[in-house]
Amino acid sequence: MIQMKEGARIENPRKYEFGAVENLRLLLEVGIPAQPDPQRNDFYEIEHGSEIYYIHVSPINGNVVLLAKWLRQSEECCLSTRDLIA
């Protein structure tokens, strides 16, 4: 579970739309399960509905940096493309 510290802010260096940042803010204010990145300390994936956020949480001040956001593909999509050959 990950929750944003009071007074922390969300940085948006890649200029994602306002709605995405606000949605992330709401999720972090109430607390949401997050998957830690096994390769990097303080980096997490947050999955909510069809959206996935990749963030960094500063261990110093608790600020969150939104690094990436994408839509999760359905299993049907993945299953239908598994036999494709490059």
Side-chain angles (χ1 to χ4, degrees):
M1 180 73 74
I2 190 168
Q3 190 168 16
M4 198 160 80
K5 292 181 180 180
E6 190 173 324
R9 60 189 177 98
I10 296 178
E11 298 174 23
N12 184 16
R14 296 188 182 212
K15 308 291 186 221
Y16 286 102
E17 67 274 6
F18 178 78
V21 177
E22 282 306 301
N23 189 40
L24 178 60
R25 181 183 320 283
L26 291 173
L27 294 172
L28 292 171
E29 283 178 356
V30 297
I32 186 163
Q35 288 286 68
D37 185 330
Q39 304 298 318
R40 297 172 183 89
N41 292 331
D42 306 313
F43 287 78
Y44 302 89
E45 271 189 23
I46 297 173
E47 189 172 325
H48 183 258
S50 63
E51 296 181 319
I52 300 175
Y53 298 91
Y54 186 68
I55 63 170
H56 175 259
V57 179
S58 170
I60 297 169
N61 59 18
N63 285 347
V64 174
V65 181
L66 174 56
L67 298 169
K69 176 192 158 292
W70 63 92
L71 295 176
R72 179 175 49 142
Q73 293 186 354
S74 68
E75 284 187 35
E76 293 171 1
C77 173
C78 296
L79 292 174
S80 67
T81 60
R82 73 174 176 194
D83 295 326
L84 294 177
I85 298 173

